Short mmCIF file of all heavy atoms in Angstrom, two decimals:
data_model
loop_
_atom_site.label_atom_id
_atom_site.label_comp_id
_atom_site.label_asym_id
_atom_site.label_seq_id
_atom_site.Cartn_x
_atom_site.Cartn_y
_atom_site.Cartn_z
N LEU A 870 -91.13 21.37 -101.08
CA LEU A 870 -90.09 20.59 -101.75
C LEU A 870 -88.77 21.35 -101.80
O LEU A 870 -87.70 20.78 -101.61
CB LEU A 870 -90.54 20.21 -103.16
CG LEU A 870 -91.61 19.12 -103.24
CD1 LEU A 870 -92.22 19.07 -104.64
CD2 LEU A 870 -91.04 17.76 -102.85
N LEU A 871 -88.83 22.66 -102.05
CA LEU A 871 -87.58 23.42 -102.11
C LEU A 871 -86.98 23.57 -100.71
O LEU A 871 -85.75 23.61 -100.57
CB LEU A 871 -87.79 24.77 -102.80
CG LEU A 871 -88.48 25.91 -102.05
CD1 LEU A 871 -87.49 26.76 -101.25
CD2 LEU A 871 -89.21 26.83 -103.04
N ASP A 872 -87.83 23.66 -99.69
CA ASP A 872 -87.31 23.68 -98.33
C ASP A 872 -86.64 22.35 -98.00
O ASP A 872 -85.56 22.31 -97.40
CB ASP A 872 -88.44 23.95 -97.34
CG ASP A 872 -88.94 25.39 -97.39
OD1 ASP A 872 -88.27 26.24 -97.99
OD2 ASP A 872 -90.01 25.65 -96.83
N LEU A 873 -87.27 21.25 -98.40
CA LEU A 873 -86.70 19.92 -98.20
C LEU A 873 -85.36 19.81 -98.91
O LEU A 873 -84.38 19.31 -98.34
CB LEU A 873 -87.67 18.85 -98.71
CG LEU A 873 -87.16 17.42 -98.72
CD1 LEU A 873 -86.87 16.93 -97.31
CD2 LEU A 873 -88.18 16.49 -99.40
N TYR A 874 -85.28 20.25 -100.15
CA TYR A 874 -84.04 20.22 -100.92
C TYR A 874 -82.94 20.99 -100.19
O TYR A 874 -81.80 20.53 -100.06
CB TYR A 874 -84.30 20.79 -102.32
CG TYR A 874 -83.09 20.89 -103.22
CD1 TYR A 874 -81.93 20.17 -102.99
CD2 TYR A 874 -83.10 21.74 -104.33
CE1 TYR A 874 -80.83 20.27 -103.83
CE2 TYR A 874 -82.02 21.84 -105.18
CZ TYR A 874 -80.87 21.12 -104.92
OH TYR A 874 -79.79 21.22 -105.74
N THR A 875 -83.28 22.19 -99.70
CA THR A 875 -82.30 23.02 -99.01
C THR A 875 -81.77 22.33 -97.76
O THR A 875 -80.56 22.32 -97.49
CB THR A 875 -82.93 24.38 -98.64
OG1 THR A 875 -83.43 25.01 -99.82
CG2 THR A 875 -81.90 25.29 -97.99
N MET A 876 -82.66 21.72 -96.99
CA MET A 876 -82.26 21.03 -95.77
C MET A 876 -81.37 19.83 -96.07
O MET A 876 -80.34 19.60 -95.42
CB MET A 876 -83.48 20.58 -94.98
CG MET A 876 -84.33 21.71 -94.45
SD MET A 876 -85.83 21.07 -93.63
CE MET A 876 -86.95 22.43 -93.88
N LEU A 877 -81.76 19.03 -97.06
CA LEU A 877 -80.96 17.85 -97.43
C LEU A 877 -79.58 18.28 -97.94
O LEU A 877 -78.57 17.63 -97.64
CB LEU A 877 -81.68 17.04 -98.50
CG LEU A 877 -82.91 16.26 -98.03
CD1 LEU A 877 -83.69 15.72 -99.23
CD2 LEU A 877 -82.51 15.11 -97.11
N ASP A 878 -79.54 19.35 -98.69
CA ASP A 878 -78.28 19.85 -99.25
C ASP A 878 -77.34 20.31 -98.15
O ASP A 878 -76.12 20.10 -98.22
CB ASP A 878 -78.57 20.99 -100.23
CG ASP A 878 -77.32 21.48 -100.93
OD1 ASP A 878 -76.60 20.66 -101.52
OD2 ASP A 878 -77.04 22.71 -100.87
N LYS A 879 -77.90 20.93 -97.12
CA LYS A 879 -77.07 21.49 -96.05
C LYS A 879 -76.74 20.48 -94.95
O LYS A 879 -75.65 20.51 -94.37
CB LYS A 879 -77.79 22.68 -95.42
CG LYS A 879 -77.94 23.89 -96.33
CD LYS A 879 -76.61 24.54 -96.62
CE LYS A 879 -76.76 25.81 -97.42
NZ LYS A 879 -75.45 26.43 -97.72
N LEU A 880 -77.68 19.59 -94.64
CA LEU A 880 -77.55 18.72 -93.47
C LEU A 880 -77.39 17.24 -93.80
O LEU A 880 -77.05 16.46 -92.92
CB LEU A 880 -78.76 18.90 -92.55
CG LEU A 880 -79.01 20.31 -92.02
CD1 LEU A 880 -80.30 20.35 -91.21
CD2 LEU A 880 -77.84 20.80 -91.18
N GLY A 881 -77.66 16.85 -95.04
CA GLY A 881 -77.61 15.43 -95.37
C GLY A 881 -78.81 14.70 -94.78
O GLY A 881 -79.94 15.15 -94.93
N ASP A 882 -78.57 13.59 -94.11
CA ASP A 882 -79.66 12.81 -93.51
C ASP A 882 -80.42 13.67 -92.50
O ASP A 882 -79.82 14.27 -91.59
CB ASP A 882 -79.07 11.58 -92.84
CG ASP A 882 -80.15 10.65 -92.30
OD1 ASP A 882 -81.33 10.83 -92.67
OD2 ASP A 882 -79.82 9.76 -91.50
N LEU A 883 -81.73 13.72 -92.63
CA LEU A 883 -82.54 14.55 -91.74
C LEU A 883 -83.14 13.79 -90.57
O LEU A 883 -83.73 14.40 -89.67
CB LEU A 883 -83.68 15.20 -92.55
CG LEU A 883 -83.27 16.15 -93.67
CD1 LEU A 883 -84.51 16.69 -94.38
CD2 LEU A 883 -82.41 17.29 -93.13
N ALA A 884 -83.02 12.49 -90.56
CA ALA A 884 -83.62 11.68 -89.49
C ALA A 884 -83.12 12.13 -88.13
O ALA A 884 -81.91 12.23 -87.89
CB ALA A 884 -83.31 10.21 -89.71
N GLY A 885 -84.06 12.43 -87.23
CA GLY A 885 -83.70 12.84 -85.88
C GLY A 885 -83.40 14.32 -85.73
O GLY A 885 -83.21 14.80 -84.60
N LYS A 886 -83.35 15.06 -86.83
CA LYS A 886 -83.12 16.50 -86.75
C LYS A 886 -84.35 17.19 -86.18
O LYS A 886 -85.48 16.72 -86.33
CB LYS A 886 -82.80 17.09 -88.12
CG LYS A 886 -81.54 16.53 -88.78
CD LYS A 886 -80.29 16.90 -88.01
CE LYS A 886 -79.04 16.42 -88.76
NZ LYS A 886 -77.81 16.68 -87.98
N LYS A 887 -84.14 18.32 -85.53
CA LYS A 887 -85.23 19.06 -84.91
C LYS A 887 -85.50 20.33 -85.71
O LYS A 887 -84.61 21.17 -85.86
CB LYS A 887 -84.89 19.41 -83.46
CG LYS A 887 -85.97 20.21 -82.76
CD LYS A 887 -85.58 20.55 -81.31
CE LYS A 887 -86.66 21.41 -80.64
NZ LYS A 887 -86.27 21.78 -79.26
N MET A 888 -86.72 20.46 -86.21
CA MET A 888 -87.10 21.65 -86.95
C MET A 888 -88.20 22.38 -86.21
O MET A 888 -89.16 21.76 -85.72
CB MET A 888 -87.59 21.32 -88.37
CG MET A 888 -87.95 22.57 -89.16
SD MET A 888 -88.58 22.24 -90.83
CE MET A 888 -90.26 21.83 -90.46
N VAL A 889 -88.08 23.71 -86.14
CA VAL A 889 -89.11 24.55 -85.55
C VAL A 889 -89.77 25.37 -86.65
O VAL A 889 -89.10 26.05 -87.42
CB VAL A 889 -88.51 25.50 -84.49
CG1 VAL A 889 -89.59 26.42 -83.92
CG2 VAL A 889 -87.85 24.71 -83.38
N LEU A 890 -91.08 25.27 -86.76
CA LEU A 890 -91.86 26.15 -87.60
C LEU A 890 -92.38 27.26 -86.70
O LEU A 890 -93.16 27.01 -85.77
CB LEU A 890 -93.02 25.40 -88.26
CG LEU A 890 -92.64 24.53 -89.47
CD1 LEU A 890 -93.75 23.55 -89.79
CD2 LEU A 890 -92.34 25.40 -90.69
N LEU A 891 -91.90 28.48 -86.93
CA LEU A 891 -92.11 29.57 -86.00
C LEU A 891 -92.98 30.67 -86.62
O LEU A 891 -92.62 31.22 -87.65
CB LEU A 891 -90.75 30.16 -85.60
CG LEU A 891 -90.74 31.38 -84.68
CD1 LEU A 891 -91.39 31.08 -83.34
CD2 LEU A 891 -89.30 31.88 -84.49
N GLY A 892 -94.11 30.96 -85.99
CA GLY A 892 -94.92 32.09 -86.45
C GLY A 892 -96.39 31.75 -86.61
O GLY A 892 -96.98 31.04 -85.80
N ASP A 893 -96.95 32.24 -87.69
CA ASP A 893 -98.38 32.09 -87.97
C ASP A 893 -98.64 30.73 -88.62
O ASP A 893 -98.66 30.61 -89.85
CB ASP A 893 -98.84 33.23 -88.88
CG ASP A 893 -100.33 33.20 -89.16
OD1 ASP A 893 -101.02 32.29 -88.65
OD2 ASP A 893 -100.82 34.09 -89.88
N ILE A 894 -98.82 29.72 -87.81
CA ILE A 894 -99.01 28.36 -88.32
C ILE A 894 -100.42 28.18 -88.89
O ILE A 894 -100.62 27.56 -89.93
CB ILE A 894 -98.77 27.32 -87.21
CG1 ILE A 894 -97.45 27.58 -86.47
CG2 ILE A 894 -98.79 25.92 -87.80
CD1 ILE A 894 -96.23 27.46 -87.30
N SER A 895 -101.41 28.74 -88.22
CA SER A 895 -102.81 28.50 -88.59
C SER A 895 -103.12 28.89 -90.03
O SER A 895 -103.87 28.21 -90.72
CB SER A 895 -103.74 29.28 -87.65
OG SER A 895 -103.75 28.72 -86.37
N HIS A 896 -102.54 29.99 -90.49
CA HIS A 896 -102.89 30.51 -91.81
C HIS A 896 -101.84 30.18 -92.88
O HIS A 896 -101.94 30.68 -94.00
CB HIS A 896 -103.07 32.04 -91.73
CG HIS A 896 -104.10 32.46 -90.74
ND1 HIS A 896 -103.80 32.74 -89.42
CD2 HIS A 896 -105.44 32.62 -90.85
CE1 HIS A 896 -104.90 33.08 -88.77
NE2 HIS A 896 -105.91 33.00 -89.59
N SER A 897 -100.87 29.34 -92.53
CA SER A 897 -99.74 29.09 -93.43
C SER A 897 -99.87 27.79 -94.21
O SER A 897 -99.86 26.70 -93.63
CB SER A 897 -98.43 29.07 -92.63
OG SER A 897 -97.35 28.72 -93.46
N ARG A 898 -99.97 27.90 -95.52
CA ARG A 898 -99.95 26.70 -96.38
C ARG A 898 -98.54 26.12 -96.44
O ARG A 898 -98.35 24.93 -96.65
CB ARG A 898 -100.46 27.05 -97.77
CG ARG A 898 -99.83 28.25 -98.43
CD ARG A 898 -100.67 28.73 -99.59
NE ARG A 898 -100.18 29.98 -100.18
CZ ARG A 898 -100.96 30.85 -100.82
NH1 ARG A 898 -102.24 30.61 -100.97
NH2 ARG A 898 -100.46 31.95 -101.34
N VAL A 899 -97.52 26.97 -96.26
CA VAL A 899 -96.13 26.50 -96.24
C VAL A 899 -95.93 25.55 -95.06
O VAL A 899 -95.27 24.51 -95.19
CB VAL A 899 -95.14 27.68 -96.15
CG1 VAL A 899 -93.71 27.18 -95.96
CG2 VAL A 899 -95.23 28.54 -97.41
#
């Protein structure tokens, strides 16, 4: 939720934006 808040605050509408989750995905609850 705080990541979402930060993105909305900085970018406004997020539709169509490209986000990369980089690193240890398998073990990440984030």
Side-chain angles (χ1 to χ4, degrees):
L870 287 166
L871 76 89
D872 289 346
L873 174 64
Y874 177 19
T875 304
M876 295 176 208
L877 288 169
D878 184 53
K879 292 292 185 181
L880 301 176
D882 185 14
L883 297 179
K886 299 294 185 184
K887 179 181 178 182
M888 182 181 81
V889 177
L890 282 164
L891 177 61
D893 184 359
I894 311 297
S895 289
H896 302 91
S897 175
R898 51 197 174 206
V899 173

